[in-house]
Amino acid sequence: MFNRSRRNLASWFTLSMGSILIIFAGILYYQESIQQLEVIDLILYKKARVITSSVRYKEYQGEKRVFLKNLPVLGNNPPPEDSEIIYARWYDTKGNLKRYFGQLPHKKITPIFAYQTIKVTNLSGISSQVIWLREITLPVQYQGELIGYLQMAMPMNRIQELLHKFLLLLISTVFIALGITSLTGWFLSGIAMQPIYLSYKQLERFTAHASHELRTPLAAILSNAQVGLLAPMEDSASKHLRLEKVAEGAKSMNTLIGNLLFLARRTGRLTPESLKAVDVRDLLKEVLNSSSVKTAAKHLNLKSDLPKSPIIVRVDAELICLAVINLLSNACKYTPADGLVELRLLTKYNQAVIEVEDNGMGIAATDLPHIFEQFYRVEQHQTNSTNSFGLGLAIAQQIIEVHNGHLSVKSKLGQGSVFQIKLPM
């Protein structure tokens, strides 16, 4: 599924970028064609001006006449071989042909200044190939008076060759760019799909672990209920014991479901309305006086080290208390009788730092990267965690993260652990 989605993302990215590249290449080719056409038009105009500069217009036998004998190309002298002029024609002011060089022309033209691209076949009777020409029709004036029109043409072979080479360059560039774009799209789609893939895997693990954890109390409830039903009617003590176990299993299940709902609902960031400015010292005193912490530390030495001056942070007080209670309960659970659990509060780099330290069993280095994962329980702690679902630390981390804080742990096996909460002040 993820590979298919990745392929689709990469394909759409390549298609969109390829379309942009092709449109851009088409615009470039069009601009280059216009520019090359302007170049040949300028050359044609300059050549035409050179020819018309030799026109003689003077009076002869009582009327003014145009003398074309001394004109280049149209005059008595043949044009140079490298002139590239295919034909040249002179028309009078009414558009009638008077003199020409090269291909047999039209007898009459529309007298107007214009550039035109035309197609010629069987030029000079040499071959039947098609040649494209660029033609100019230029009005010629002498001392402000119109005396005729010069029409001439040049081949567009050189422009076609340049445009052909430019087109090949564009096509090869577009194909190379498409190849690079497709690889980039595949790489970027992989990065884009990574969070979705990780979320899917996390959800898959969550579902599997939740199903497993829910099955255990359900099995206990079912088995105790069945045994209670099989017991003799007069054996009330046995039935009472079974009912207690059923209630215990239901209570355990209720706790698990509550933790699962908390993890499912407390996602994203907290709303500004839920954050209040509170003194962290008061929160920690409230935690130390809670019944759950007192019960967990019944056979332990629970100490606190709180500063005298207030430390104010903007937090959801109820959630922070829950996170610290989970850390203290976890420390008490894995610390042997008469062990030490200490709660400290200090400030560092404009942060409120809460530390929970114990001298209990500690955590192996291989387990440290995973202890904040949902349902994860350290193997050597399994005997001490029969009533634990491995969600307390995950809940604590989620609470701290939604407050833009950080929860970390340092531990050595057999020497104890230090959990540290950092909250921005």
Side-chain angles (χ1 to χ4, degrees):
M1 179 179 68
F2 290 100
N3 285 333
R4 184 172 67 252
S5 300
R6 185 179 183 183
R7 282 195 300 270
N8 290 337
L9 280 174
S11 300
W12 280 109
F13 179 77
T14 304
L15 181 62
S16 58
M17 292 301 296
S19 302
I20 294 172
L21 284 172
I22 291 172
I23 292 171
F24 182 69
I27 293 172
L28 281 181
Y29 183 78
Y30 175 77
Q31 292 291 337
E32 182 66 19
S33 302
I34 296 298
Q35 186 176 358
Q36 291 297 332
L37 206 58
E38 289 175 352
V39 169
I40 194 172
D41 287 347
L42 181 60
I43 293 173
L44 263 175
Y45 180 78
K46 288 182 176 180
K47 287 181 178 291
R49 295 295 296 176
V50 169
I51 293 175
T52 57
S53 64
S54 301
V55 173
R56 294 293 180 264
Y57 182 65
K58 57 186 178 179
E59 190 171 341
Y60 180 76
Q61 294 180 355
E63 63 176 339
K64 288 186 177 181
R65 295 179 57 185
V66 178
F67 294 88
L68 305 173
K69 291 183 180 181
N70 297 324
L71 262 64
V73 183
L74 287 172
N76 296 330
N77 298 321
E81 295 181 358
D82 59 348
S83 66
E84 293 187 327
I85 297 175
I86 301 299
Y87 59 78
R89 302 156 183 171
W90 181 269
Y91 295 88
D92 62 16
T93 56
K94 296 180 180 179
N96 298 313
L97 181 65
K98 294 298 181 181
R99 195 178 185 93
Y100 73 92
F101 161 79
Q103 186 183 12
L104 184 64
H106 301 292
K107 296 295 184 180
K108 191 174 180 66
I109 63 165
T110 302
I112 186 173
F113 174 69
Y115 288 99
Q116 192 176 8
T117 301
I118 58 177
K119 182 172 68 173
V120 178
T121 56
N122 295 326
L123 188 61
S124 301
I126 298 175
S127 64
S128 60
Q129 67 178 4
V130 175
I131 297 178
W132 290 91
L133 303 177
R134 188 66 171 170
E135 180 186 84
I136 183 175
T137 301
L138 179 68
V140 182
Q141 293 183 346
Y142 183 83
Q143 295 181 351
E145 182 182 356
L146 181 65
I147 61 174
Y149 293 89
L150 174 66
Q151 187 179 80
M152 58 182 294
M154 289 177 57
M156 300 180 66
N157 296 344
R158 192 187 311 175
I159 292 179
Q160 288 176 326
E161 289 177 5
L162 289 173
L163 290 177
H164 181 67
K165 291 179 181 178
F166 186 66
L167 181 62
L168 290 178
L169 176 64
L170 284 178
I171 291 174
S172 58
T173 303
V174 166
F175 273 111
I176 293 171
L178 281 176
I180 297 173
T181 301
S182 61
L183 293 176
T184 305
W186 180 258
F187 175 73
L188 292 178
S189 61
I191 295 177
M193 291 296 296
Q194 192 66 22
I196 301 173
Y197 179 76
L198 293 176
S199 298
Y200 176 79
K201 286 297 182 183
Q202 185 178 3
L203 179 62
E204 198 175 47
R205 289 196 301 270
F206 179 85
T207 305
H209 287 307
S211 301
H212 173 74
E213 296 295 343
L214 284 169
R215 191 179 295 117
T216 302
L218 278 174
I221 291 172
L222 181 62
S223 62
N224 281 284
Q226 289 173 339
V227 171
L229 290 172
L230 294 174
M233 293 293 294
E234 63 276 3
D235 193 359
S236 59
S238 175
K239 286 188 177 182
H240 182 76
L241 178 62
R242 296 301 172 188
L243 287 174
E244 283 184 348
K245 290 186 177 180
V246 168
E248 184 181 345
K251 187 177 179 181
S252 175
M253 224 172 119
N254 184 58
T255 302
L256 173 59
I257 293 172
N259 289 337
L260 293 178
L261 287 174
F262 181 90
L263 289 170
R265 291 172 179 172
R266 297 286 182 174
T267 56
R269 290 287 177 260
L270 297 172
T271 59
E273 295 78 16
S274 64
L275 301 178
K276 306 293 181 183
V278 296
D279 187 352
V280 185
R281 298 178 309 163
D282 296 336
L283 290 183
L284 297 185
K285 289 176 183 178
E286 183 180 339
V287 167
L288 291 171
N289 292 325
S290 65
S291 59
S292 59
V293 172
K294 287 182 178 180
T295 302
K298 184 168 52 176
H299 302 293
L300 301 171
N301 297 315
L302 180 60
K303 294 183 178 181
S304 62
D305 182 9
L306 305 179
K308 295 181 179 180
S309 56
I311 298 177
I312 307 300
V313 293
R314 287 185 61 82
V315 295
D316 185 323
E318 184 180 347
L319 292 181
I320 294 298
C321 286
L322 177 59
V324 177
I325 288 173
N326 283 352
L327 294 182
L328 285 172
S329 299
N330 186 76
C332 294
K333 189 179 299 180
Y334 301 114
T335 301
D338 298 324
L340 176 64
V341 175
E342 186 174 2
L343 176 64
R344 291 191 293 267
L345 174 63
L346 58 138
T347 59
K348 188 176 182 181
Y349 303 123
N350 202 33
Q351 290 179 320
V353 180
I354 303 171
E355 291 183 346
V356 177
E357 184 175 2
D358 65 74
N359 60 355
M361 302 169 61
I363 305 169
T366 54
D367 293 313
L368 280 176
H370 307 286
I371 61 169
F372 295 114
E373 295 178 4
Q374 298 170 9
F375 299 105
Y376 187 84
R377 283 174 288 187
V378 180
E379 186 176 350
Q380 66 264 25
H381 294 173
Q382 292 292 335
T383 55
N384 291 9
S385 59
T386 52
N387 295 323
S388 172
F389 300 106
L391 294 175
L393 294 180
I395 290 173
Q397 185 189 45
Q398 187 162 317
I399 290 172
I400 301 306
E401 284 181 350
V402 297
H403 283 87
N404 294 319
H406 179 67
L407 175 60
S408 60
V409 60
K410 294 180 181 178
S411 182
K412 288 186 179 179
L413 196 61
Q415 297 183 19
S417 307
V418 180
F419 287 85
Q420 187 181 75
I421 296 173
K422 292 182 180 179
L423 295 171
M425 295 177 61

